[in-house]
Amino acid sequence: MVKNYENTKIVTLDIKDLYVNLPIKGIVKATKHWQNKNNNSGKIIKQTLNLLLTIMKQNYFQYKDKFYQPEKGVAVGPPISSTMAETYLQHMEETYIKQWWNSGEILYYKRYVDDIIIICNTKKVQENTIVQEINKIDENLQFKMTTENCYTIKYLDLELKRNNNNLEISIYRKATNTDKTIHYRSNHPYEHKIAAFRYHINRMLNLPITERSKQEELNTIISIATNNGYPEHIIKNLRRKLTKKNKNKEKGKNLLQNTKSGQHLHTLAP
């Protein structure tokens, strides 16, 4: 369970075609901002920006024996593209979103790459106003808003539902999900075959979902496994193993915290 708020609305925003619409000048400006904020020398800033521009100029493609270079956007494949996207978006958040946070209009804001979830204070601002204002920040980026439907909203692989004074979390799968995994009788290493179920069970155990949702998810996992040829006992044994592992991990964390606290108090003692 997660604490709920009165007079609030939950919305999600999706940035349309993020990578191909990122402004090159905006990325350079954002990089310079973070360099200055970290008190880097003028020489380091100049070298960094020159390297950044050199990398971004490599974004070109060939079509019918002709080469083209886009006026905006970064290549989707290179590892540095995600860093450039984060550099720009975090600068945008600090410049614009932060003021809504400080004013209390936005009570909660989280982003995963191009997917955003916001809890807004409806006493101070309406969700339509937020999406209208955020779409004015950069003409290159478009934000598409989704609002609650019957007190329920989906974000990534989660379904969030208001229930009295609580916000219930459950696991969400898209309608296009096929539930296909590597078949049990496939000639693959066992660890490769079991990896998907290890992920599903770990997610089920670590998310703050209700016991009812956990049981429903376990039934779904077992159903996926049996449909792909896995004996049910394999999934149940894996669940017991991962549950025990998680409990031992929690014990280890608590022991480490207590040990560190004891050492700290001992150091401060006269």
Side-chain angles (χ1 to χ4, degrees):
M1 295 289 188
V2 179
K3 185 178 179 182
N4 198 6
Y5 299 93
E6 294 182 357
N7 304 308
T8 62
K9 199 72 176 283
I10 306 174
V11 299
T12 61
L13 299 174
D14 176 61
I15 307 175
K16 183 181 178 182
D17 301 328
L18 171 62
Y19 280 55
V20 297
N21 285 307
L22 286 169
I24 293 174
K25 289 183 179 179
I27 293 171
V28 173
K29 182 181 177 181
T31 303
K32 188 174 181 180
H33 163 80
W34 294 120
Q35 292 275 321
N36 284 322
K37 191 168 184 178
N38 288 322
N39 298 317
N40 288 333
S41 67
K43 184 178 180 180
I44 293 295
I45 293 173
K46 185 178 179 180
Q47 289 177 343
T48 302
L49 296 181
N50 285 337
L51 286 170
L52 184 63
L53 285 168
T54 301
I55 291 168
M56 288 194 289
K57 285 179 181 177
Q58 306 310 307
N59 184 18
Y60 54 85
F61 61 92
Q62 182 181 3
Y63 178 70
K64 290 186 177 180
D65 298 325
K66 290 186 178 181
F67 288 89
Y68 299 87
Q69 187 170 42
E71 294 180 356
K72 62 178 180 178
V74 297
V76 177
I80 197 171
S81 295
S82 60
T83 302
M84 290 190 284
E86 277 299 313
T87 299
Y88 179 73
L89 291 176
Q90 288 185 28
H91 177 251
M92 184 191 75
E93 288 164 346
E94 179 163 293
T95 307
Y96 299 99
I97 308 297
K98 195 175 180 180
Q99 63 185 358
W100 295 336
W101 173 276
N102 292 335
S103 68
E105 293 174 298
I106 289 179
L107 301 173
Y108 183 86
Y109 176 96
K110 290 290 180 183
R111 176 178 56 82
Y112 180 78
V113 189
D114 58 352
D115 291 301
I116 302 167
I117 184 168
I118 293 174
I119 300 178
C120 60
N121 184 347
T122 52
K123 281 188 174 182
K124 294 187 175 184
V125 68
Q126 295 301 312
E127 65 272 18
N128 288 330
T129 304
I130 289 177
V131 74
Q132 286 170 9
E133 291 301 316
I134 205 168
N135 272 318
K136 292 178 183 177
I137 294 173
D138 188 332
E139 62 180 8
N140 297 294
L141 299 182
Q142 264 193 322
F143 294 77
K144 180 184 175 184
M145 181 178 69
T146 302
T147 58
E148 294 178 52
N149 181 21
C150 298
Y151 303 104
T152 302
I153 195 165
K154 297 169 181 66
Y155 179 66
L156 301 176
D157 59 349
L158 300 177
E159 183 176 82
L160 313 176
K161 184 176 182 181
R162 293 178 187 262
N163 185 8
N164 297 325
N165 293 322
N166 294 302
L167 193 63
E168 290 186 0
I169 299 176
S170 58
I171 293 169
Y172 166 69
R173 287 178 173 83
K174 291 184 179 180
T176 54
N177 182 51
T178 62
D179 290 338
K180 290 289 184 184
T181 68
I182 301 174
H183 198 276
Y184 181 64
R185 291 193 295 273
S186 177
N187 188 24
H188 284 73
Y190 180 75
E191 282 302 315
H192 292 188
K193 292 191 284 189
I194 209 69
F197 300 105
R198 187 183 299 277
Y199 161 74
H200 288 313
I201 294 171
N202 268 323
R203 179 176 63 172
M204 176 192 73
L205 294 174
N206 290 299
L207 282 176
I209 59 179
T210 62
E211 288 302 318
R212 178 173 58 83
S213 294
K214 282 187 179 181
Q215 187 57 51
E216 289 175 356
E217 177 62 13
L218 178 61
N219 292 339
T220 300
I221 294 169
I222 291 173
S223 175
I224 293 170
T226 53
N227 288 339
N228 287 276
Y230 292 81
E232 187 174 325
H233 71 84
I234 286 181
I235 303 303
K236 290 183 175 179
N237 289 340
L238 183 60
R239 184 205 179 193
R240 280 193 290 269
K241 181 181 176 181
L242 293 175
T243 301
K244 184 178 179 180
K245 185 178 180 180
N246 283 346
K247 285 181 179 178
N248 290 337
K249 197 179 290 184
E250 283 300 315
K251 287 180 182 178
K253 283 182 182 178
N254 294 335
L255 180 62
L256 186 61
Q257 287 172 356
N258 292 335
T259 304
K260 285 183 177 179
S261 298
Q263 290 173 344
H264 182 59
L265 288 172
H266 177 73
T267 305
L268 292 175

